[in-house]
Amino acid sequence: MPLLSLSSRYKIVLALLFIAGSASLSAAPLVIPQQQAAHFCQLFVAENSSLSTLSHRAYQMISQPDDSLSVEQIFAGYVLLADGWQTMRLFPHQEDNIVSWYSATDELPASIDSEHQKYICEVFPRLVAEVRLGNWATVDAYIDHMIQYQCQFGGQKLPTRPSSAAIIGIFLLLFALIFLGHYYKKYLFLINRF
């Protein structure tokens, strides 16, 4: 089953054209920097019965990035600047060991306390306002808080994100193996000469 219907794809294309047109008319272009777009795309989104990152979803929807924008920038632009966030289920709530995910426009159950309901309804309008102002440090803080919210209330079923330390460790291990393999071959060569 495709993730987006044909009409949804047309809406995305129209939204992107609107964003591009708006950016060309305004003093400051409305393009989300790569760093913040990639950071934003680390958020999880629930669709049907699966959970994935926005980055994964972006690469499923956008097969070829623009010449100057990354897939994450295009997708984050759609979500944040064309109100694509309104129907994305980005907010988890756990009740009786069952995690349900809600969008900012869903009717929220009474079991979600008023503070969390307010957060779910207000975080995106505030985030979008900071994006439009270009306050990137504040945007990053909002995204960090949203990631923290997902991790805290998403239960134990969140896929793990590889940490940068783990990735660096893997590269160092591979380098060490290659380095040792090279010298091991030299050692064997010298032993076989005698």
Side-chain angles (χ1 to χ4, degrees):
M1 177 164 70
L3 286 176
L4 290 176
S5 66
L6 192 54
S7 65
S8 294
R9 290 182 185 162
Y10 285 125
K11 288 179 187 176
I12 290 174
V13 170
L14 288 174
L16 292 174
L17 289 173
F18 174 76
I19 291 168
S22 303
S24 64
L25 296 175
S26 64
L30 295 177
V31 174
I32 298 170
Q34 173 58 33
Q35 179 180 346
Q36 281 71 31
H39 189 198
F40 177 74
C41 286
Q42 291 177 7
L43 285 165
F44 288 104
V45 61
E47 184 169 27
N48 300 324
S49 62
S50 68
L51 189 64
S52 64
T53 62
L54 288 177
S55 181
H56 178 74
R57 188 161 180 201
Y59 279 95
Q60 286 181 321
M61 292 173 50
I62 303 168
S63 59
Q64 185 66 31
D66 184 275
D67 288 340
S68 60
L69 300 177
S70 70
V71 169
E72 288 92 353
Q73 285 176 294
I74 294 168
F75 190 73
Y78 161 71
V79 172
L80 294 171
L81 301 173
D83 295 336
W85 55 268
Q86 291 185 356
T87 57
M88 294 182 129
R89 293 183 298 151
L90 298 164
F91 301 99
H93 174 67
Q94 187 171 1
E95 186 174 357
D96 299 327
N97 292 326
I98 297 173
V99 178
S100 301
W101 290 72
Y102 297 95
S103 74
T105 58
D106 283 339
E107 186 172 328
L108 301 173
S111 60
I112 299 178
D113 65 51
S114 61
E115 180 183 330
H116 288 242
Q117 287 193 22
K118 182 177 179 180
Y119 174 76
I120 291 169
C121 294
E122 293 180 3
V123 69
F124 267 104
R126 291 179 182 194
L127 174 61
V128 169
E130 296 299 330
V131 166
R132 291 189 187 281
L133 292 172
N135 295 334
W136 304 119
T138 306
V139 167
D140 279 329
Y142 271 100
I143 295 167
D144 283 338
H145 192 265
M146 292 173 76
I147 290 170
Q148 179 184 9
Y149 185 94
Q150 288 185 334
C151 291
Q152 184 174 354
F153 299 105
Q156 300 298 322
K157 294 189 177 187
L158 286 179
T160 58
R161 293 181 177 102
S163 70
S164 56
I167 293 170
I168 291 170
I170 290 169
F171 280 118
L172 289 174
L173 178 63
L174 288 174
F175 177 74
L177 290 173
I178 291 168
F179 181 78
L180 290 173
H182 175 75
Y183 281 102
Y184 182 71
K185 284 181 184 177
K186 281 188 174 185
Y187 174 74
L188 287 178
F189 176 75
L190 289 174
I191 289 177
N192 288 333
R193 283 184 61 190
F194 294 110

